[in-house]
Amino acid sequence: MASVSVRGVSKLFGSFKALDDISIEFADGGFYGLLGPSGSGKTTLLRLIAGFDFPDSGEIEIGGEPVGALPAEKRDIGMMFQSYALFPNMSVFDNVAFGLMVRNTARAEIVRRVGEALELVRLTGLDDRKPHQLSGGQRQRVALARAIVFHPRVLLLDEPLSALDKALRVGMQVELKRIQREIGITTIFVTHDQEEALTLSDRIGVLRDGRLVQEGAPKEIYDRPESAFAATFLGDANLFRGRANGDGVVLADGSRMRTADAPGKADEEVVCAVRPERIEVVPADGPADGEGNMLDATVSEAIFAGNSMTYLASWQDQTVKVIAQNRGAEPFEAGARVRLVWRPADTVVVTP
Ligand code: ATP
């Protein structure tokens, strides 16, 4: 197994900068998610690590060794892409064995390794089937077995589950995580599905316009986003604009909001992010908590979702979203005057 280091990497297509000075460390044995909107550079970064393409500047190391211009087949990397074409006329066994055959591996070794890989992806006994005799999830497993059969040092996955329907995808997420843990392989996967990134990854890198905007553990990024972009791309967030003032922010209507961290230079324009589930809705005449943040608002929509209630509340010219757990109390109805309250610790100062 091996770590992967990306240092100051940029990639140009003509004059277009697809990757702009990216530095990120993928530790040995970790499961990393690269998350970002379409066109942010996720696949480009994966292709550079794989050796299908080369950076214009910066350096990539695998297992502590600079890979420079080393071609893909010499990098010892397993890969699985969204379009993981299996050979349609070959059996499951031969599809998985293919990479070993072209490496001139001895027959007995091939049989052993393919058996091992098929057991790992729970396809033992289906060796003789052809791809068209398999379900979508089973085909995905064959592709995964093919990627890991030669014991690569690093596994790269580009939207590996996006072709599967929701139920299969969730099942495969659990499988992928189990397999990654069992073989302890450094895994980097690309997704634009934030939920997938949050559930699978040990760490997440968020990309935007070819730049790495934040890197950290899922909970760290969720609880402490550094930018309005990260806050809204990874989960839902209410953004409040104001001016820095002591240990808080003064909003447009003159009300004060205390923040988790000092908001910056006095009078500077700042943005605060607050997660919908951290806000509590109480009656308009409810007791004011001197320590907490609060806004008086009007419920514009109350949406019942079984275990939770989603409220959209109007405050100033802004809609504030609140997700409240259903604890059996009568919900507030549209038109109700309410007070929204939350802790300063849940008020995160982010860059606009
Ligand atoms: P998606 O989620 O849609 O797959 P992505 O984040 O993986 O997007 P990339 O495929 O890395 O994005 O592309 C990043 C940018 O680089 C895009 O604007 C894309 O159009 C551009 N790009 C990628 N490959 C090439 C190429 N070979 N020639 C020119 N431009 C390219």
Side-chain angles (χ1 to χ4, degrees):
M1 305 306 143
S3 59
V4 177
S5 307
V6 173
R7 301 213 183 100
V9 161
S10 295
K11 178 69 191 171
L12 291 159
F13 292 113
S15 60
F16 176 74
K17 215 167 204 181
L19 291 178
D20 187 3
D21 194 18
I22 300 273
S23 292
I24 184 168
E25 297 287 322
F26 304 99
D28 193 2
F31 201 124
Y32 288 83
L34 291 177
L35 185 67
S38 183
S40 56
K42 307 180 295 291
T43 298
T44 302
L45 181 55
L46 223 54
R47 286 175 56 81
L48 296 185
I49 295 170
F52 291 142
D53 215 337
F54 300 94
D56 290 293
S57 54
E59 200 168 69
I60 296 173
E61 284 183 9
I62 299 176
E65 302 279 330
V67 286
L70 199 67
E73 64 276 13
K74 299 247 168 80
R75 291 195 182 188
D76 205 4
I77 284 178
M79 270 167 291
M80 184 166 129
F81 293 98
Q82 184 185 338
S83 53
Y84 54 85
L86 301 176
F87 299 109
N89 300 323
M90 285 191 194
S91 66
V92 166
F93 182 95
D94 288 340
N95 263 286
V96 177
F98 187 78
L100 295 172
M101 290 184 203
V102 298
R103 285 175 171 81
N104 292 322
T105 312
R107 183 71 194 169
E109 180 71 4
I110 291 179
V111 170
R112 193 180 64 76
R113 287 218 188 173
V114 172
E116 220 176 63
L118 289 178
E119 193 183 325
L120 199 60
V121 301
R122 303 201 165 139
L123 284 181
T124 306
L126 301 186
D127 311 39
D128 295 330
R129 296 256 187 110
K130 296 278 169 62
H132 74 270
Q133 297 169 312
L134 299 172
S135 71
Q138 288 169 334
R139 281 199 289 268
Q140 203 85 36
R141 285 161 198 261
V142 176
L144 185 58
R146 190 175 58 176
I148 58 181
V149 73
F150 60 94
H151 299 179
R153 299 188 292 169
V154 176
L155 183 61
L156 303 179
L157 308 168
D158 193 353
E159 304 259 9
L161 309 180
S162 62
L164 302 179
D165 67 41
K166 177 86 180 162
L168 262 183
R169 197 159 72 228
V170 172
M172 271 305 281
Q173 285 174 3
V174 176
E175 282 292 276
L176 206 52
K177 188 81 187 163
R178 172 187 66 80
I179 291 165
Q180 193 270 343
R181 273 210 205 98
E182 265 179 44
I183 57 180
I185 189 170
T186 313
T187 301
I188 308 172
F189 87 109
V190 157
T191 179
H192 59 249
D193 180 337
Q194 46 152 302
E195 210 180 294
E196 193 163 284
L198 286 172
T199 49
L200 281 176
S201 321
D202 303 325
R203 292 183 82 77
I204 293 175
V206 183
L207 290 171
R208 181 192 199 185
D209 295 336
R211 289 183 155 269
L212 183 72
V213 293
Q214 194 168 355
E215 194 271 327
K219 188 171 180 339
E220 197 176 313
I221 301 186
Y222 187 81
D223 288 346
R224 288 280 173 269
E226 287 167 6
S227 57
F229 174 81
T232 50
F233 194 75
L234 202 75
D236 240 327
N238 294 294
L239 301 177
F240 298 101
R241 280 162 210 285
R243 289 188 177 277
N245 181 296
D247 62 353
V249 170
V250 175
L251 302 180
D253 69 342
S255 59
R256 254 184 81 72
M257 194 180 275
R258 289 176 59 204
T259 51
D261 300 306
K265 285 194 225 95
D267 220 33
E268 199 171 41
E269 249 187 78
V270 294
V271 176
C272 300
V274 184
R275 298 288 183 198
E277 72 276 14
R278 305 290 166 86
I279 302 176
E280 197 185 343
V281 185
V282 300
D285 55 1
D289 165 10
E291 296 298 303
N293 288 326
M294 64 180 206
L295 295 175
D296 289 326
T298 306
V299 173
S300 52
E301 272 190 69
I303 304 148
F304 179 68
N307 61 358
S308 69
M309 281 297 299
T310 298
Y311 292 107
L312 301 180
S314 315
W315 170 78
Q316 299 279 313
D317 55 359
Q318 190 172 340
T319 300
V320 181
K321 183 173 178 177
V322 180
I323 298 174
Q325 268 188 37
N326 177 7
R327 294 211 171 87
E330 270 310 303
F332 295 94
E333 288 177 3
R337 292 287 300 160
V338 293
R339 184 160 279 176
L340 308 179
V341 297
W342 69 93
R343 301 182 313 155
D346 291 325
T347 313
V348 184
V349 179
V350 295
T351 59

